[in-house]
Amino acid sequence: MNNAVYTIPVVFHIIHLGEPVGVSSNISNAQILQALNDLNSDFRDNPMLGNDVEIEFCLAQRDPEGNSQFDGNNNNITGIQRVNGTGTGNYESLGMTLGVSSNEIALKALSNWPNTDYLNVWVVHNIAGSVLGFATFPVADDSVDGIVLEIGATGISGFSKVFSHEAGHFLNLYHTFQGSTSYNICPSNVDCHVHGDMVCDTRPHPYQNEPMNWFPCNESDYLNCYMSVYTNNVVENHMN
Ligand SMILES: [Zn+2]
């Protein structure tokens, strides 16, 4: 804890299919605000772990030109941008494809604010790939830099961890199982600064382990998992 809280302005780009606001892929402002609220809950006040990352996310209050937009109740909704993706990169049938492609670049270009000032979050009706969200690491070029979420993982109860996980990647965090190549193979762990997730207080573990098929890399983790509470193991880590 150093009690310095960083606040990152977020702009959501809702890439819809032409529906009115609040219908199907053109999700409501309330759903967006719920997603942002859930994200802040994970970063500032995790009841399971008592953690505080000291990073907050706020809805952008000004656009790149310094202007603001308000809804009928005088709420500042500048950080919620809406654009029709129909006709771009086969968006109707594909959604956004996972992995940098012409489809992704074209869709993100429909609405994209400078990554030096904003976290861009594109909300799409579908991601072509078996994920609910994906993100770039900070080194990415600004034509793609940011987070992509499916509408079903945006402000929907039970799916809030997708946004938290992707925000971790956006902030340069790897998976806790980084370097593992199989269910029962531990990643290298000689130097915690370069192996695993490169964060020294994360214990190494194989990918996709769950409480029921826990394969520990350290004896003490095994004991912790089966004979005590889960508080110190990776099961509760959003980057698992
Ligand atoms: Zn991930």
Side-chain angles (χ1 to χ4, degrees):
M1 293 276 292
N2 60 20
N3 299 311
V5 177
Y6 294 92
T7 303
I8 299 174
V10 182
V11 53
F12 293 87
H13 309 280
I14 316 305
I15 306 179
H16 58 79
L17 294 167
E19 305 95 331
V21 174
V23 176
S24 299
S25 70
N26 201 0
I27 62 173
S28 68
N29 292 347
Q31 194 174 332
I32 294 295
L33 294 174
Q34 183 65 50
L36 194 60
N37 196 53
D38 292 343
L39 179 68
N40 279 320
S41 294
D42 279 348
F43 271 74
R44 291 304 317 278
D45 182 23
N46 187 323
M48 188 76 73
L49 299 174
N51 280 351
D52 183 357
V53 182
E54 299 182 327
I55 293 173
E56 284 186 3
F57 301 86
C58 72
L59 202 61
Q61 301 291 293
R62 287 176 294 171
D63 70 16
E65 283 74 48
N67 300 313
S68 299
Q69 284 172 248
F70 296 86
D71 68 8
N73 296 316
N74 212 31
N75 296 311
N76 189 323
I77 54 164
T78 311
I80 303 176
Q81 297 293 307
R82 300 174 184 279
V83 61
N84 190 334
T86 304
T88 300
N90 294 318
Y91 184 63
E92 300 93 309
S93 57
L94 286 177
M96 190 177 287
T97 56
L98 175 61
V100 176
S101 64
S102 57
N103 155 289
E104 178 184 355
I105 291 168
L107 286 166
K108 287 182 172 179
L110 292 174
S111 191
N112 188 351
W113 289 6
N115 67 344
T116 48
D117 293 327
Y118 305 95
L119 160 56
N120 287 282
V121 179
W122 291 274
V123 181
V124 300
H125 73 89
N126 182 61
I127 294 172
S130 59
V131 297
L132 296 172
F134 64 94
T136 55
F137 286 99
V139 292
D141 82 75
D142 66 2
S143 68
V144 293
D145 190 16
I147 295 171
V148 178
L149 296 175
E150 279 192 1
I151 51 173
T154 306
I156 300 292
S157 179
F159 293 91
S160 64
K161 305 310 179 192
V162 176
F163 196 5
S164 303
H165 179 96
E166 301 309 336
H169 285 317
F170 174 77
L171 294 168
N172 214 20
L173 291 176
Y174 289 109
H175 294 137
T176 54
F177 50 86
Q178 186 76 20
S180 169
T181 54
S182 184
Y183 291 99
N184 58 355
I185 296 178
C186 291
S188 296
N189 190 41
V190 177
D191 181 349
C192 64
H193 295 97
V194 295
H195 291 144
D197 69 353
M198 305 184 199
V199 178
C200 289
D201 65 0
T202 311
R203 311 284 281 184
H205 72 100
Y207 75 80
Q208 291 195 2
N209 67 31
E210 301 291 339
M212 296 311 291
N213 60 7
W214 175 254
F215 183 92
C217 298
N218 296 72
E219 183 67 16
S220 59
D221 287 343
Y222 183 89
L223 293 173
N224 186 57
C225 191
Y226 282 111
M227 303 177 77
S228 183
V229 291
Y230 291 125
T231 47
N232 289 324
N233 72 39
V234 295
V235 174
E236 297 295 344
N237 191 313
H238 295 315
M239 299 316 293
N240 185 357

